[in-house]
Amino acid sequence: MNNLALSDRILMSVDKPARYIGNEVNMVRKNPEDVEIRFAMCFPDVYEIGMSHLGIQILYDMFNQRDDVYCERVYSPWSDLHKIMKEEQIPLFTLETQSPVCDMDFLGITIQYEMCYTNILQILDLSHIPMLAQERTDDDPIVIGGGPCTYNPEPLADFFDLFYIGEGETMYDTLFDLYISMKKQGGTRKEFLRAVCKLPGIYVPSLYEVSYQEDGTIASFTPKYEDVPPTICKEVQMDLTDTFYPRKPLVPYIKATQDRVVLEIQRGCIRGCRFCQAGMIYRPTRERDVEMLKECARDMLESTGHEEISLSSLSSSDYSKLKELMNYLINFREKGVNISLPSLRIDAFSLDVMSKVQDIRKSSLTFAPEAGSQRLRDVINKGLTEDVILEGAGLAFAGGWQKVKLYFMLGLPTETEEDMKEIPRLADRIARRYYEIPKEQRSGKCQITISTSFFVPKPFTPFQWASMHPKEEYLARARVVNEEMKEQLNRKSLKYNWHEADVTVLEGVFARGDRRVGQVLQRAYEKGCMFDAWSEFFDNKKWMEAFQECGISIKFYNQRERGLDEILPWDFIDCGVSKSFLKREWQHALKGEVTPNCKIQCNGCGAAKFEGGVCLEHQN
């Protein structure tokens, strides 16, 4: 019985079989016999999450534009199908042709967040691909990792043949050409890895060795051979207009997390928030041409039938042609198309636009002050004063909104109890602004929802040296906020939600861990851990057992401040932002000093070497 027939039989017994059958609108169809490379593109989470990811849509379209490459897709099977596949030894298969993933030339896995790491092992396990890269043979696919988590790939180093560090538009064609050439010459897996490591942005973990000091810190990180580069420089696509962008994106059969057309209007961010990894690793800020975005919007709506279009950016308000783009997109409202506007600063223009595209009675506005006190907002370089927050809220309330969501972080560097208490106090001051509106002009009570997550230091941020707290301390800080909320005048208008601390602790270990924590991942998966980002699956007890059995200390990775001269696991990567700049920003943070954004002045972060975007504008 072939794999296709077998999958038909089992899919009748699982939840949402449309996750696994392919054949969606705009799916690419090719004859596998006519191509040189078969590439399985994987998002290691359930279909609904993976189908919402723009990066995979871009690469899927880009790869399939080549006649000699067939890019297919694979996602993590949900727990019900996982169980059947394990019991019946059914190999994981692609959606396009139902072919076993182990028959592909490449398995490319996008790594978007730390809590999907055990799902990566699930993919390898179900695909019948040896979990450890060193155990793979010439008959196994080359396993590539990409995405933001590859800026510290070390916790996953044992499981991947290579990592692509940076933006995918620049180097994959060269990588594919090299593979085809070596394949025709009869090159082996090892020979390909030795050759591909010389390409910009490509990191092959097996070609480097790490040694450790007695205190557990890294003593050295060096290439094994002279021709292996000691530093990996990220790849950057500087021209975001004349490049790949899917005009006919895939349309899922079932409702995805983001079931809409996505317009990426720019990459990077000028703001310089010290906790934000994306704001550092995607520098320099680069915009897409507004005419190109108009064409993409029209083509994508026509080719998909979607009824919503969303702008994608770290800070949409900073896009220079936002007003022109929005005036164009608003025309689609007449055709029943909704417009989603994330990452907007709350000002008069933004509120005017949102009032035209949203149902004010149902929608809520989102503010992300991140910290309750001005002192702590200065520490994190948020660039947001309380006056600006209250003015924005006042404009929103006057415009008819009454629902506000406020996002904060607990556990930020230098945080005091007074900083924590300022979170509900700020929310109360926002509520007061609402009740300053004459009663006849209000439409009932305002609803202010406070949400706090727990801070996780990330590589290539000024806070990469910061220490974290144990679980109990995080929960104690949430209780401080909760108790202070009860003291507020408008407490009946306030609601407070906070994240679980167990996941935060693990995320911290894997965000800044080294190669040694890979064994914990493997042990946890063997114990049954997967879909750890889903609360119904997360099992902290199994994780704690895995750490204990492997002799790996959570305290070592989380609860100590790194020395500025310590070798960090990701120091071999050049992300464009220099370590000296990050050190300087760390010192500014400890002093509570604000650094102006990139539009106001160049702060010498190092990204100007890419010669484009905001950096080039500033130099001119």
Side-chain angles (χ1 to χ4, degrees):
M1 185 179 293
N2 64 32
N3 197 59
L4 178 59
L6 192 60
S7 65
D8 282 344
R9 175 174 61 83
I10 62 174
L11 290 178
M12 297 300 293
S13 63
V14 299
D15 184 40
K16 298 182 181 178
R19 289 168 169 160
Y20 314 106
I21 61 177
N23 292 307
E24 303 101 327
V25 173
N26 296 328
M27 190 191 85
V28 174
R29 291 172 172 81
K30 293 185 180 182
N31 182 353
E33 302 297 322
D34 295 338
V35 301
E36 296 285 351
I37 292 176
R38 298 189 67 185
F39 193 109
M41 182 71 73
C42 171
F43 194 103
D45 207 326
V46 73
Y47 175 90
E48 296 94 304
I49 303 293
M51 279 293 286
S52 302
H53 185 244
L54 177 61
I56 281 188
Q57 294 267 12
I58 291 174
L59 293 180
Y60 181 83
D61 177 72
M62 171 184 161
F63 291 0
N64 279 317
Q65 287 188 32
R66 290 184 57 135
D67 292 335
D68 55 0
V69 174
Y70 190 10
C71 181
E72 306 179 48
R73 291 163 297 133
V74 62
Y75 305 98
S76 286
W78 198 239
S79 57
D80 51 1
L81 181 57
H82 174 96
K83 183 174 183 292
I84 295 172
M85 296 181 81
K86 288 286 287 183
E87 289 174 348
E88 301 195 22
Q89 284 294 295
I90 301 166
L92 187 61
F93 48 87
T94 63
L95 270 65
E96 275 70 9
T97 62
Q98 308 285 298
S99 300
V101 172
C102 58
D103 290 345
M104 302 290 114
D105 295 286
F106 291 93
L107 168 59
I109 303 175
T110 184
I111 314 169
Q112 294 295 312
Y113 36 85
E114 289 81 5
M115 301 316 295
C116 74
Y117 284 6
T118 50
N119 277 54
I120 292 171
L121 303 190
Q122 177 209 27
I123 294 291
L124 294 171
D125 183 22
L126 293 182
S127 298
H128 300 174
I129 298 171
M131 208 166 284
L132 297 175
Q134 64 182 14
E135 296 178 358
R136 294 175 196 140
T137 70
D138 289 345
D139 295 327
D140 295 307
I142 301 291
V143 181
I144 305 180
C149 288
T150 61
Y151 283 87
N152 177 23
E154 290 304 276
L156 296 168
D158 291 341
F159 311 113
F160 282 82
D161 297 303
L162 63 92
F163 292 94
Y164 183 115
I165 297 172
E167 297 169 4
E169 293 96 337
T170 64
M171 198 48 57
Y172 266 113
D173 276 336
T174 306
L175 186 153
F176 289 155
D177 290 342
L178 175 64
Y179 179 81
I180 291 170
S181 173
M182 294 193 69
K183 184 179 177 182
K184 289 178 178 178
Q185 296 170 22
T188 65
R189 179 190 205 87
K190 287 186 177 179
E191 289 170 340
F192 173 71
L193 292 177
R194 281 295 302 276
V196 79
C197 79
K198 300 179 181 66
L199 296 183
I202 303 300
Y203 168 52
V204 180
S206 61
L207 301 181
Y208 298 78
E209 52 191 0
V210 192
S211 64
Y212 302 92
Q213 306 199 60
E214 288 187 9
D215 64 358
T217 59
I218 294 174
S220 66
F221 183 96
T222 54
K224 292 181 179 178
Y225 310 99
E226 288 186 1
D227 61 343
V228 175
T231 301
I232 311 297
C233 297
K234 76 169 181 183
E235 283 296 285
V236 181
Q237 177 62 41
M238 292 306 301
D239 181 359
L240 291 185
T241 297
D242 295 320
T243 186
F244 298 95
Y245 203 81
R247 304 298 180 101
K248 294 183 177 180
L250 289 152
V251 182
Y253 266 140
I254 57 178
K255 186 170 179 57
T257 306
Q258 295 184 20
D259 201 2
R260 62 190 69 154
V261 162
V262 179
L263 271 188
E264 183 191 36
I265 61 176
Q266 64 182 12
R267 286 184 194 166
C269 181
I270 65 170
R271 296 290 153 183
C273 297
R274 292 174 179 136
F275 59 84
C276 180
Q277 185 187 51
M280 297 293 166
I281 64 176
Y282 293 124
R283 292 187 178 201
T285 302
R286 295 144 286 151
E287 295 189 348
R288 294 189 189 271
D289 178 73
V290 70
E291 295 303 323
M292 174 261 197
L293 292 172
K294 291 176 185 177
E295 290 177 13
C296 282
R298 183 181 64 250
D299 292 347
M300 295 166 77
L301 287 169
E302 288 178 355
S303 68
T304 63
H306 279 313
E307 297 178 343
E308 185 171 350
I309 189 164
S310 175
L311 304 187
S312 173
S313 169
L314 293 174
S315 180
S316 298
S317 295
D318 293 322
Y319 179 61
S320 63
K321 298 293 180 63
L322 182 63
K323 188 171 184 178
E324 180 180 348
L325 178 61
M326 289 309 308
N327 287 336
Y328 176 80
L329 295 179
I330 285 173
N331 294 327
F332 290 105
R333 289 279 294 167
E334 299 173 2
K335 301 176 183 178
V337 176
N338 294 319
I339 303 172
S340 175
L341 303 167
S343 306
L344 284 182
R345 289 196 303 278
I346 307 302
D347 54 25
F349 167 69
S350 300
L351 289 168
D352 179 58
V353 170
M354 284 187 277
S355 67
K356 294 176 181 176
V357 301
Q358 295 182 2
D359 184 341
I360 293 176
R361 292 169 300 175
K362 295 180 180 179
S363 63
S364 60
L365 290 179
T366 298
F367 292 85
E370 309 294 359
S373 69
Q374 191 60 51
R375 184 200 74 82
L376 196 52
R377 284 196 294 275
D378 290 345
V379 167
I380 66 177
N381 208 46
K382 181 62 182 176
L384 197 61
T385 65
E386 182 166 315
D387 287 345
V388 170
I389 295 170
L390 293 178
E391 182 181 354
L395 287 170
F397 293 145
W401 276 274
Q402 64 185 90
K403 299 177 185 176
V404 172
K405 294 179 181 178
L406 299 173
Y407 289 99
F408 299 89
M409 281 185 284
L410 289 171
L412 287 161
T414 79
E415 182 181 60
T416 66
E417 184 170 322
E418 191 65 18
D419 295 321
M420 303 171 211
K421 291 181 176 180
E422 279 297 311
I423 290 174
R425 291 172 187 169
L426 176 60
D428 183 69
R429 290 193 285 273
I430 291 173
R432 292 186 191 190
R433 180 60 63 95
Y434 177 78
Y435 291 112
E436 288 173 4
I437 298 173
K439 190 171 184 180
E440 61 274 13
Q441 296 177 25
R442 303 196 304 254
S443 53
K445 286 185 178 181
C446 72
Q447 301 172 38
I448 298 179
T449 303
I450 305 166
S451 293
T452 59
S453 60
F454 298 117
F455 165 69
V456 176
K458 292 297 179 80
F460 297 110
T461 68
F463 289 166
Q464 65 182 2
W465 292 281
S467 63
M468 293 179 64
H469 301 287
K471 165 188 171 181
E472 295 74 21
E473 175 61 24
Y474 282 125
L475 295 177
R477 293 178 184 230
R479 285 194 291 271
V480 169
V481 175
N482 197 42
E483 289 303 310
E484 182 64 23
M485 193 177 76
K486 297 175 183 176
E487 302 299 319
Q488 302 311 305
L489 177 67
N490 295 291
R491 56 187 175 274
K492 291 184 178 179
S493 295
L494 309 181
K495 180 183 178 183
Y496 177 42
N497 303 316
W498 64 89
H499 290 205
E500 289 300 319
D502 292 332
V503 173
T504 299
V505 170
L506 286 183
E507 189 181 342
V509 173
F510 296 123
R512 296 189 296 173
D514 51 42
R515 291 190 181 191
R516 293 170 294 189
V517 302
Q519 59 186 306
V520 179
L521 282 169
Q522 188 168 358
R523 185 66 59 89
Y525 176 70
E526 291 166 354
K527 288 178 171 293
C529 293
M530 60 180 181
F531 289 107
D532 296 298
W534 298 74
S535 57
E536 62 264 44
F537 288 102
F538 180 71
D539 190 332
N540 193 60
K541 181 173 180 290
K542 290 179 180 176
W543 275 105
M544 295 304 101
E545 290 172 354
F547 275 97
Q548 186 173 13
E549 291 168 14
C550 294
I552 298 295
S553 166
I554 291 177
K555 187 175 182 179
F556 172 80
Y557 291 102
N558 281 3
Q559 296 167 39
R560 67 181 181 91
E561 187 174 303
R562 271 67 166 166
L564 291 179
D565 296 327
E566 179 178 332
I567 297 175
L568 304 174
W570 52 90
D571 273 349
F572 67 94
I573 297 173
D574 178 358
C575 82
V577 174
S578 69
K579 196 170 185 180
S580 60
F581 168 76
L582 296 175
K583 287 180 180 178
R584 196 161 67 241
E585 282 294 285
W586 175 232
Q587 297 297 337
H588 287 326
L590 295 178
K591 297 175 185 176
E593 297 173 352
V594 173
T595 299
N597 73 58
C598 302
K599 282 281 190 181
I600 295 175
Q601 74 174 46
C602 176
N603 297 294
C605 74
K609 68 185 177 186
F610 295 111
E611 299 183 351
V614 170
C615 298
L616 191 62
E617 291 169 19
H618 187 85
Q619 291 170 357
N620 290 342

